[in-house]
Amino acid sequence: MNKFIPLEEIPAWRDQLREAGKKLVVTNGVFDLMHRGHAEYLAQAAALGDVLLVLVNDDASVTALKGPTRPIQTQDDRAAMLAALECVGAVTVFKGPVAADALRLAAPDVYVKGGDYTPETLNRDEFSALQACGSQIKILPLVPGCSTSNIVKRILAEKHAGEASRKDMTLDEKLQPIFKRRSIRKFLPRDVEQHEVALLLEAAMAAPSAKACYPAEFIVLEDQVLRKQVSECLPNGSFLAQSPMGILVCGDLSRACGNELSYLIQDCSASVQNILLAASMLGLGACWLGVHPRQERMDALRALFKLPETIIPVACIALGWPSEEKLPRTNYEPEQVHMNAW
């Protein structure tokens, strides 16, 4: 129990360490379902100083970050598991998804984060707090394949074995990027970075196009107010307002093959599908929101963006880091396959 330090007592506790000339190492995270990756990471972190303080997200912030099914263990249980490790010197539970305030109080000599981060991708508030404290930032490599999310996925896969593959059909491993693509409508409060959006657009523009006309045009919806305005144009797209990113896919009829609407729709749809598959392969979630041929939706978006007459809005895509988990699947129906004749 003497390893539990209330947030408000951190400054006095930190002063005692300074007086004793001890080097403080701090890390923070959820630490839900402890596994080998956690153990190795914490042991390596502790070796960088004299005392390791672990800042643990409270339950409310874990739900906000990871979705409604998390945490699996309560904050008290997660803190107790951490405190039981010999390498952990102290544990503090903090409120909110960002640990900036707790970091300011702790003023660590060394701050440690896992290899899925870089100093550039750390939360900016946390990074500023560390800079103000003069903390050294160390990034430690992750243990491959070790994560709570992977454990949960394996449990769910075993529990629902066969459901994703029509009970008795095995999904080919080589086609997993396609089978894993599912419509995601719930997202974590985490930004989609510019380079990730660029990759999605590169994938979109790799789609086939009739006679290589490539009529597709893309409006990236970075602004939250704008996403809300777009969502109000789409009766089934209210969740776009809460998504971290969106892309409106349009087509320029003047550039479509033969200036024909059918070719424009086919070309733009191929681009949309490429975005959805690329998002899934990058670990993002996405959902296709139909615009064409609903005239009222097209008119509303034309007015909102002041689109030229030849530009036709075809579809909108909500994007973000998923806070819901869906198993791979196919809707394959042999009755819908016709060999050489109807």
Side-chain angles (χ1 to χ4, degrees), residues 93-146:
V93 176
F94 68 94
K95 293 183 179 180
V98 177
D101 290 339
L103 289 172
R104 291 187 186 96
L105 294 175
D109 298 297
V110 181
Y111 175 74
V112 181
K113 205 67 177 173
D116 49 345
Y117 286 89
T118 67
E120 292 73 28
T121 59
L122 288 176
N123 177 273
R124 292 298 89 185
D125 288 340
E126 293 179 354
F127 185 75
S128 297
L130 293 166
Q131 282 193 314
C133 298
S135 304
Q136 179 186 10
I137 298 174
K138 297 285 289 184
I139 305 298
L140 298 181
L142 297 176
V143 177
C146 290

Side-chain angles (χ1 to χ4, degrees), residues 209-216 252-267:
S209 172
K211 290 193 174 180
C213 290
Y214 301 106
D252 186 344
L253 193 58
S254 69
R255 296 209 321 270
C257 179
N259 302 132
E260 293 190 46
L261 178 61
S262 177
Y263 282 124
L264 179 146
I265 299 302
Q266 292 177 65
D267 288 355

Side-chain angles (χ1 to χ4, degrees), residues 22 36 79 222 253 278:
K22 292 186 176 180
R36 173 190 168 190
E222 288 185 307
L253 193 58

Side-chain angles (χ1 to χ4, degrees), residues 161-202:
E163 289 183 9
S165 56
R166 292 289 185 179
K167 304 300 181 183
D168 56 359
M169 185 176 66
T170 300
L171 298 179
D172 193 291
E173 185 65 29
K174 295 186 292 295
L175 299 181
Q176 283 299 306
I178 293 177
F179 299 136
K180 288 179 179 178
R181 188 227 57 81
R182 301 292 304 274
S183 293
I184 300 297
R185 297 174 177 83
K186 296 178 181 178
F187 305 99
L188 300 174
R190 174 182 170 186
D191 291 340
V192 179
E193 302 295 336
Q194 288 288 339
H195 72 276
E196 292 158 341
V197 175
L199 287 173
L200 297 178
L201 294 175
E202 286 180 15

Side-chain angles (χ1 to χ4, degrees), residues 176-182 192 195-207 247 269-287 317-322:
Q176 283 299 306
I178 293 177
F179 299 136
K180 288 179 179 178
R181 188 227 57 81
R182 301 292 304 274
V192 179
H195 72 276
E196 292 158 341
V197 175
L199 287 173
L200 297 178
L201 294 175
E202 286 180 15
M205 296 183 197
I247 298 176
S269 296
S271 292
V272 171
Q273 182 71 348
N274 271 21
I275 291 175
L276 299 180
L277 290 173
S280 178
M281 294 167 74
L282 292 173
L284 291 161
C287 187
I317 304 169
L319 289 162
W321 298 98

